[in-house]
Amino acid sequence: MSKRTFAYMALAVALVAGLIFVGAAMARSVNLEAGRMQTAPGTDRDVSGTVWFQGFLADEVSGDPVNASYTIVARLYNAPGGGSTLWGPETHNDVTITEGWFSIELGSIVSPLPNFDNPPYYLNLIIDGETLTPRLKLASVPSALQSHDADEADGDWTIGSGFLWTMDDVRIGTSGLSDAELHIHSSSPSMRLTNAVLNEGLLVCLNSYDHGFLWNHETGGRLFLGTEAANRMAIDASGLVGIGTTGPAAQLEVETSEDYGVAVYSDASGGAHVIHAEYSGTSASAVAVYGDAKGADEWGIGGHFEGDLTGVEALAQHTGSTAALYGVFADVDNGTSSATCYSIYGDEPTGGGTLYAGYFNGDVHVNGSLTGPAFSSRIDHPMDPAGMYLSHSFVESPDMMNVYNSNAVLDGSGEAWVELPEWFDVLNRDFRYQLTAIGAPGPNLYIADEISGNLFRIAGGEPGMKVSWMVTGIRQDKYAEEHRIVVEERKTGTEQGRYLHPELYGMPRTMDVTYNENMEKVKAARAEAIAEKKVLRAQAATNEEELRPTP
């Protein structure tokens, strides 16, 4: 089949009069335009077991509607990609396409269709061998296939004068409480479920301030919400809420075996907080957001965050504090294992552009070994600071020293001029020289002219002699002049009297310059809170059967 643009002007399904589904799918280019509907045969009580589908097919280049006949294969899936086939394939041969429009009756060849009782459902079409993507997500109306049973008269309900009741269990429009399990009073916006003995129970109403209430009047009573004869949510007498548990140990506790315990979505604009946690107390060990994922050894991520701009943003702010603050503090407790651990691990990003596994805009201190295959410095190029970078590899010394070397061949006078880069004398000062003769002794080699204008002269050798030279210079660029390395300095503040490696001097860990008493208290309190939480969970699990009411 030649390449086409499939434009679904509208996809419409009609199973019961007045109930329609309209949606759109994309092949290579799809547009949703004016709606059109097809109605399945049958009356409102004789619901067909098929679904009509209508689409529009146009030429990709000219945009002209297609007039042809194609084979169309339809399937239903449970996912927008991959997933399981729920129905099909159903092949419709020689489907006539007139002025671009075509219709097929799903379920007319391969039946029955699914019950549409476990959405979502996605329709996949193959037209003349070409699969259309993405799949089309079906909306609500196919679920009406289940409605024909519910549409039959069963005689359970009786309509009286001013009230509707069924089997003496529901009473609507009467002020008498009687023994009704459901009471809806027509003179006020309220609903009451009462007990025949206590004459009280669940009350749903609006008070004089137009506030809604749902409560259990019984002292010490709890509220339960459930489905399929099982408790799903509980509110105890003190206001603790449990989802998946009848004995919550927190203001809100969720216990589940689902992939998502809590899912919150928002499309708000501006500085929206989809989940906002804020602590305003005075505890040093308080945690606004806590994640614990230690279900099995060596598995689990305590927190995972994704963002189009920033994955995780951290800020420690206390304007009056004299203690050390940590924007990000990471630690690993590996116990007695000998595995390699990383408190912070940065992987090289993927994709194009400039990639950094880690980037620090400021001073960085490593209190330990710094290893790697290559170390370099990068600055704004002194000759073109706005348009270029200048990079150099590291050489360790007490000074910010640069090293340059090469070989030179002496001329007929036993001399050679060496030309250095044009930025050399802008970047460096305090030059040092070293000459080494290659192939024969050169006891008389010397620097005849020191560096000037990025040139220096070697003399005192034999004509044609090869000489290896090395020149060092101390950086004098603007950054180096403002940030000279202090070779010796006194410890100040909290570092005074402490050590980078106290264990090497027989000192305890509390003498480490990084030791923070408050942080140690936080760690201890956090461990205690975790242990306490485990005890509460164990107690709740033990008492759950006793707490669970009979549905």
Side-chain angles (χ1 to χ4, degrees), residues 403-484:
V403 178
Y404 307 86
N405 57 71
S406 186
N407 296 325
V409 177
L410 304 184
D411 60 16
S413 301
E415 298 180 352
W417 282 95
V418 176
E419 183 176 0
L420 298 167
E422 62 178 359
W423 40 259
F424 182 86
D425 57 4
V426 178
L427 179 66
N428 299 283
R429 60 175 171 79
D430 297 343
F431 309 123
R432 302 290 186 271
Y433 307 86
Q434 182 173 321
L435 302 175
T436 302
I438 299 175
N444 297 319
L445 286 174
Y446 67 100
I447 300 298
D449 291 292
E450 293 195 58
I451 295 172
S452 177
N454 301 314
L455 296 170
F456 72 93
R457 185 166 63 96
I458 303 172
E462 296 296 327
M465 175 179 283
K466 188 175 183 179
V467 177
S468 173
W469 60 265
M470 182 172 69
V471 173
T472 65
I474 306 301
R475 283 175 53 186
Q476 63 174 0
D477 57 272
K478 293 184 180 299
Y479 188 88
E481 294 287 21
E482 292 295 327
H483 300 86
R484 287 294 170 195

Side-chain angles (χ1 to χ4, degrees), residues 127-213:
I127 298 181
D128 199 31
E130 182 175 352
T131 300
L132 306 191
T133 58
R135 298 170 183 169
L136 173 65
K137 183 178 181 181
L138 301 186
S140 60
V141 167
S143 298
L145 288 173
Q146 294 182 301
S147 67
H148 75 281
D149 291 337
D151 200 28
E152 300 296 329
D154 52 24
D156 289 341
W157 291 84
T158 299
I159 301 176
S161 178
F163 64 88
L164 174 68
W165 65 276
T166 176
M167 301 188 65
D168 297 325
D169 291 332
V170 177
R171 188 173 295 270
I172 302 175
T174 177
S175 60
L177 296 179
S178 184
D179 59 346
E181 295 297 325
L182 174 64
H183 180 109
I184 300 179
H185 197 275
S186 62
S187 62
S188 64
S190 64
M191 181 176 71
R192 184 189 303 271
L193 277 69
T194 59
N195 182 278
V197 177
L198 300 176
N199 206 32
E200 286 292 353
L202 180 66
L203 180 64
V204 182
C205 68
L206 296 176
N207 68 6
S208 59
Y209 298 99
D210 292 334
H211 295 163
F213 288 93

Side-chain angles (χ1 to χ4, degrees), residues 10-16 19-23 36-42 48-55 74 87 90 92 95-96 102-108 113 116 123 125 136 138 141-142 145:
L11 306 181
V13 177
L15 299 178
V16 180
L19 299 178
I20 65 170
F21 157 77
V22 180
R36 183 175 293 186
M37 182 181 76
Q38 293 261 339
T39 304
S48 172
T50 62
V51 174
W52 280 93
F53 173 87
Q54 186 176 71
W87 170 83
E90 181 178 83
H92 295 259
V95 177
T96 300
F102 68 92
S103 298
I104 57 175
E105 187 177 3
L106 304 179
S108 61
L113 289 168
F116 297 102
L123 176 63
L125 294 180
L136 173 65
L138 301 186
V141 167
L145 288 173

Side-chain angles (χ1 to χ4, degrees), residues 136-404:
L136 173 65
K137 183 178 181 181
L138 301 186
S140 60
V141 167
S143 298
L145 288 173
Q146 294 182 301
S147 67
H148 75 281
D149 291 337
D151 200 28
E152 300 296 329
D154 52 24
D156 289 341
W157 291 84
T158 299
I159 301 176
S161 178
F163 64 88
L164 174 68
W165 65 276
T166 176
M167 301 188 65
D168 297 325
D169 291 332
V170 177
R171 188 173 295 270
I172 302 175
T174 177
S175 60
L177 296 179
S178 184
D179 59 346
E181 295 297 325
L182 174 64
H183 180 109
I184 300 179
H185 197 275
S186 62
S187 62
S188 64
S190 64
M191 181 176 71
R192 184 189 303 271
L193 277 69
T194 59
N195 182 278
V197 177
L198 300 176
N199 206 32
E200 286 292 353
L202 180 66
L203 180 64
V204 182
C205 68
L206 296 176
N207 68 6
S208 59
Y209 298 99
D210 292 334
H211 295 163
F213 288 93
L214 171 65
W215 72 73
N216 186 341
H217 275 194
E218 183 181 355
T219 302
R222 293 166 292 164
L223 287 177
F224 294 90
L225 297 178
T227 59
E228 297 184 350
N231 291 314
R232 307 301 184 189
M233 181 170 135
I235 305 176
D236 71 5
S238 63
L240 301 184
V241 179
I243 299 176
T245 175
T246 56
Q251 190 63 52
L252 174 62
E253 181 174 342
V254 179
E255 295 186 11
T256 181
S257 59
E258 300 295 328
D259 288 341
Y260 296 95
V262 177
V264 182
Y265 304 93
S266 172
D267 61 358
S269 59
H273 295 185
V274 178
I275 296 179
H276 183 93
E278 185 173 335
Y279 175 76
S280 58
T282 58
S283 173
S285 58
V287 178
V289 178
Y290 179 83
D292 187 344
K294 298 196 293 287
D297 288 344
E298 300 181 5
W299 294 98
I301 299 175
H304 178 83
F305 303 90
E306 296 183 8
D308 282 343
L309 177 63
T310 303
V312 177
E313 184 178 51
L315 172 66
Q317 187 176 38
H318 193 311
T319 56
S321 175
T322 58
L325 301 180
Y326 303 88
V328 176
F329 186 93
D331 198 0
V332 173
D333 183 0
N334 197 33
T336 59
S337 171
S338 59
T340 301
C341 298
Y342 305 91
S343 289
I344 296 178
Y345 184 91
D347 203 357
E348 183 178 20
T350 58
T354 303
L355 307 177
Y356 296 100
Y359 189 95
F360 301 90
N361 187 20
D363 296 338
V364 177
H365 175 73
V366 179
N367 191 22
S369 298
L370 180 64
T371 61
F375 296 94
S376 65
S377 66
R378 172 187 279 186
I379 63 170
D380 294 323
H381 199 296
M383 302 295 291
D384 185 7
M388 295 179 64
Y389 292 116
L390 182 64
S391 298
H392 273 60
S393 296
F394 288 179
V395 174
E396 294 186 357
S397 76
D399 302 308
M400 301 176 75
M401 179 180 291
N402 293 323
V403 178
Y404 307 86

